[in-house]
Amino acid sequence: MTPPRDGATWLGALAATLLTTGVICQFLQHTDPTPPLLYFTVDSAVLAAAVQIRRLVHGPGSGPWGERLRGSAVVGVVLSSLVHLTVIAPSSPSGGWFGPHDDLWARTATLLLHGAAPVLVVAEFLVSPCRLTPARHEPALLAWWPAAYLAVVGTLAWSDAATMPYLFLSPSRFGTGPVIATIAALSATVLALAAALTAARRRLGRPPGAHA
């Protein structure tokens, strides 16, 4: 049976399209030699696109853990956009979104993955049915994806199997103390994002006249 097509479904379809296109552009670009799957942005986009495609095919019903997977993907996409806007772009040689030598594929990937797609992913999350519980530990359960990424890529970098793609997470560049402080700040940001998104979704999903 084909799932009904409503506003949230169309938002999800457009978000999945932009996320997928952005990931493809990142693989096609010739500016950055770093393997795309080492980037949190690319991995978060893949996860979020997979979740949206699954919802388009099978409908929104996925149970509590399916909703947490979806919520964690949303947190990842928003976090990658925030980090790019507040840390990476301002510290780049150009001081803007695009590097001076970025090719068209790289510029398109940046625009889609850090600009357009996150807006659509959040919009779809907020207007679609909410199946997350009101438990206080719910935001922590949505933080698993950023933690898993850091554990895997951090281990690869520590073992010299790969290079950490984010300089602000490289102890050899900034020292152990500053990197630990950065991880703590990122962890707090992730939890704040998860709490804000779940609270907003529950409030928007509350029937008219209902009270907290």
Side-chain angles (χ1 to χ4, degrees):
M1 179 178 179
T2 303
R5 300 289 167 177
D6 55 15
T9 301
W10 289 114
L11 280 172
L14 184 54
T17 300
L18 296 188
L19 288 166
T20 303
T21 303
V23 170
I24 292 173
C25 288
Q26 187 63 35
F27 274 88
L28 292 176
Q29 60 85 30
H30 297 287
T31 303
D32 185 358
T34 302
L37 292 179
L38 282 180
Y39 283 117
F40 180 73
T41 295
V42 175
D43 294 339
S44 295
V46 171
L47 177 62
V51 169
Q52 290 300 335
I53 291 171
R54 189 259 175 215
R55 288 170 65 82
L56 290 170
V57 174
H58 298 290
S62 57
W65 285 106
E67 288 296 294
R68 288 164 185 155
L69 174 64
R70 173 181 169 232
S72 193
V74 175
V75 169
V77 169
V78 175
L79 178 65
S80 67
S81 181
L82 285 178
V83 171
H84 182 80
L85 290 173
T86 61
V87 179
I88 296 175
S91 62
S92 68
S94 66
W97 276 40
F98 309 123
H101 303 295
D102 284 355
D103 61 19
L104 181 61
W105 296 114
R107 291 171 183 261
T108 303
T110 297
L111 184 62
L112 293 179
L113 298 182
H114 295 300
V119 174
L120 293 171
V121 168
V122 171
E124 190 278 337
F125 181 77
L126 293 179
V127 303
S128 60
C130 178
R131 292 174 176 80
L132 295 174
T133 72
R136 292 184 178 181
H137 65 264
E138 196 70 68
L141 294 176
L142 267 60
W144 72 268
W145 159 238
Y149 168 86
L150 184 60
V152 172
V153 176
T155 299
L156 290 174
W158 177 77
S159 63
D160 292 327
T163 300
M164 171 59 70
Y166 300 106
L167 292 179
F168 55 83
L169 292 177
S170 176
S172 63
R173 181 69 178 265
F174 291 103
T176 302
V179 168
I180 291 175
T182 299
I183 292 174
L186 287 173
S187 299
T189 302
V190 167
L191 290 174
L193 282 174
L197 287 168
T198 53
R201 177 53 269 181
R202 284 196 293 267
R203 181 169 293 277
L204 288 172
R206 187 177 296 128
H211 300 284

